[in-house]
Amino acid sequence: MFNLEAKFRLPDHAAAQAAAIAIGYRPEAVLNQRDTFFVVATGKLKLREEDHRSYMIGYGRVERDGLQLSEYQMVPVPDPAAMRTLLAGTLGVLAEVRKRRTLLLCRNVRLHLDEVDGLGLLGEIEAVMPDGGDWQAERAFVEATLAALGVTKDQLIEGSYFEMARRP
């Protein structure tokens, strides 16, 4: 699967949520997430633990004009504690990120209003790309959402939350 995504600084989640709802997003859930990233030779591999489900997610990203194109795979994990122990012992842990995520949806686009431990208030948008989908239309929709939220290009963040935490 592919998605087009961007991360950004977002100091006012209440205003962002109101703006998103005004353009058609609907609140879906509030999730407590723990992402454990493992040392791998290529791409990224993380165990995502949410309130009542867990996944292994493997992915790679390419930066394109402030937006990132990701290819990813997700596999459900029935016993996340055992999986974390196994992978930590065999691969090594690169980082751990904990966050409280408010999820809003519109079409095939997920808007995340994140409160990330150690990093503060941030946002992320992901347009899941259907096979044969119109990349330009998806990009335009993502950019329109960012504009409605008042996010400018200089607020976009490269990389992942754990990479942000490791920067000086």
Side-chain angles (χ1 to χ4, degrees):
M1 292 176 47
F2 289 91
N3 70 13
L4 185 63
E5 65 181 79
K7 287 183 179 54
F8 42 90
R9 298 246 173 243
L10 193 62
D12 188 346
H13 279 182
Q17 183 165 345
I21 290 170
I23 61 170
Y25 282 83
R26 67 183 187 289
E28 184 70 19
V30 176
L31 306 165
N32 294 296
Q33 296 181 332
R34 174 185 180 179
D35 290 344
T36 305
F37 292 82
F38 299 95
V39 178
V40 293
T42 59
K44 293 185 177 139
L45 179 67
K46 69 182 171 187
L47 171 63
R48 168 158 294 158
E49 298 170 78
E50 291 180 341
D51 299 318
H52 301 291
R53 61 186 178 175
S54 298
Y55 299 93
M56 288 302 306
I57 305 171
Y59 62 99
R61 289 189 178 135
V62 176
E63 184 79 19
R64 289 195 182 163
D65 299 324
L67 298 180
Q68 298 173 11
L69 180 63
S70 297
E71 183 175 10
Y72 66 97
Q73 293 181 315
M74 293 176 59
V75 177
V77 175
D79 188 345
M83 182 66 77
R84 189 177 345 93
T85 299
L86 171 69
L87 294 177
T90 58
L91 299 175
V93 173
L94 186 60
E96 182 178 283
V97 174
R98 292 177 184 257
K99 61 188 171 288
R100 179 177 168 91
R101 170 168 281 177
T102 300
L103 170 64
L104 296 102
L105 300 174
C106 184
R107 304 179 350 178
N108 59 316
V109 179
R110 300 183 301 241
L111 177 62
H112 306 144
L113 307 179
D114 293 333
E115 185 175 346
V116 183
D117 289 2
L119 295 177
L121 300 178
L122 299 160
E124 180 179 49
I125 188 168
E126 297 178 337
V128 178
M129 305 299 296
D131 287 338
D134 182 346
W135 292 87
Q136 296 294 55
E138 296 305 326
R139 183 179 184 93
F141 188 78
V142 166
E143 289 176 345
T145 298
L146 293 172
L149 299 178
V151 175
T152 60
K153 286 220 180 236
D154 63 321
Q155 291 172 285
L156 297 178
I157 299 165
E158 292 183 26
S160 65
Y161 291 152
F162 88 79
E163 291 167 330
M164 288 176 59
R166 293 171 59 181
R167 291 183 192 138

